[in-house]
Amino acid sequence: MSIPCTEVYPGAVHLPRFLSLGEQRELAERCQDIGNGPTGWYVPTVRGGGQMRVRMVCLGCHWNARTYRYEARRGDHDGRPAPPLPPQLSAVAVRMAEAVGMRLSPDVCIVNYYGAAGKMGLHQDKDERPDTLVSGVPIVSVSLGDTAKFIIGGLTRKDAKTMVPLASGDGFVFGGPSRLRFHGVAAVLPHTGPPELGLEGRLNLTFREGPSPP
Ligand code: SIN
Ligand code: MN
């Protein structure tokens, strides 16, 4: 790989500062426009009844936080159809996957907006189609704004974990044997993002392939 990157585990690669400031600004504006639009941000309530510590909007297909299934409409929120996934967003994920020698044809992007108290518990991304999980089609994560303390561990919850600071413009690709690693966000470090983005907090986009059929 000729671009700066760190392989944290086989198939789990951090791409620091992959995106230029201009690209970050465009993506951040696009996400804010969608999030502030009519089918925009909401705070998901998970199966156990707790509220997530992020605002979310799913593009291309909706991830239902109560059923852990993908669906066309936001069945756990307002019933509206998920907004489309703009090709300009998908193109960034395809570039990141290719940069580490992987392939992704994204049909879903979950956009999370973290405020100063935002975090995300340890979990696996395993609601996509089984064939994509088995073949290790990667998840591509793009971070914008404030830096997050991203935690990634093993295939069981109790395995040893590593902290990777994800800063604005960074990519993180986890596929192959790392596709089902537990991961989460321990904290977001306020006011660490580039002021030029005009973004308070952090945006994270995770691109995925293979939402399960309804
Ligand atoms: C996620 O795992 O869905 C989000 C990860 C992140 O915000 O970096
Ligand atoms: Mn995840």
Side-chain angles (χ1 to χ4, degrees):
M1 292 168 220
S2 54
I3 47 151
C5 64
T6 307
E7 193 165 39
V8 180
Y9 300 106
V13 186
H14 180 202
L15 296 162
R17 294 176 296 281
F18 186 92
L19 299 175
S20 69
L21 196 53
E23 289 174 313
Q24 293 173 42
R25 194 185 294 142
E26 255 179 55
L27 283 181
E29 277 174 11
R30 194 80 190 234
C31 292
Q32 292 284 47
D33 285 349
I34 296 169
N36 295 326
T39 316
W41 304 123
Y42 65 99
V43 178
T45 299
V46 291
R47 264 205 285 246
Q51 290 212 307
M52 289 182 73
R53 306 285 191 88
V54 293
R55 280 179 272 176
M56 187 179 281
V57 61
C58 304
L59 309 178
C61 206
H62 178 69
W63 178 76
N64 184 316
R66 288 200 178 265
T67 62
Y68 289 25
R69 302 285 305 256
Y70 287 99
E71 57 195 19
R73 289 176 174 268
R74 314 203 305 178
D76 57 335
H77 181 54
D78 55 10
R80 296 174 75 105
L85 172 55
Q88 297 89 336
L89 262 57
S90 301
V92 172
V94 170
R95 265 170 61 207
M96 283 183 177
E98 279 175 357
V100 302
M102 293 194 205
R103 265 173 191 274
L104 172 73
S105 188
D107 31 29
V108 190
C109 175
I110 300 183
V111 186
N112 290 310
Y113 189 12
Y114 297 75
K119 56 170 88 169
M120 188 172 292
L122 209 61
H123 65 278
Q124 289 171 298
D125 291 351
K126 58 178 183 186
D127 303 326
E128 295 72 33
R129 258 194 352 253
D131 61 292
T132 66
L133 304 180
V134 169
S135 60
V137 174
I139 299 281
V140 172
S141 145
V142 178
S143 294
L144 301 166
D146 289 343
T147 297
K149 288 184 170 181
F150 178 72
I151 307 295
I152 183 161
L155 299 181
T156 72
R157 192 173 279 281
K158 62 176 180 8
D159 286 341
K161 295 157 193 69
T162 306
M163 195 281 282
V164 181
L166 292 183
S168 196
D170 288 10
F172 195 87
V173 181
F174 51 112
S178 286
R179 175 61 178 78
L180 288 173
R181 285 187 185 275
F182 275 86
H183 60 277
V185 172
V188 169
L189 308 174
H191 311 299
T192 50
E196 295 88 340
L197 293 192
L199 175 66
E200 208 167 300
R202 169 179 189 254
L203 286 168
N204 176 264
L205 294 78
T206 48
F207 293 87
R208 299 134 193 264
E209 181 175 328
S212 305

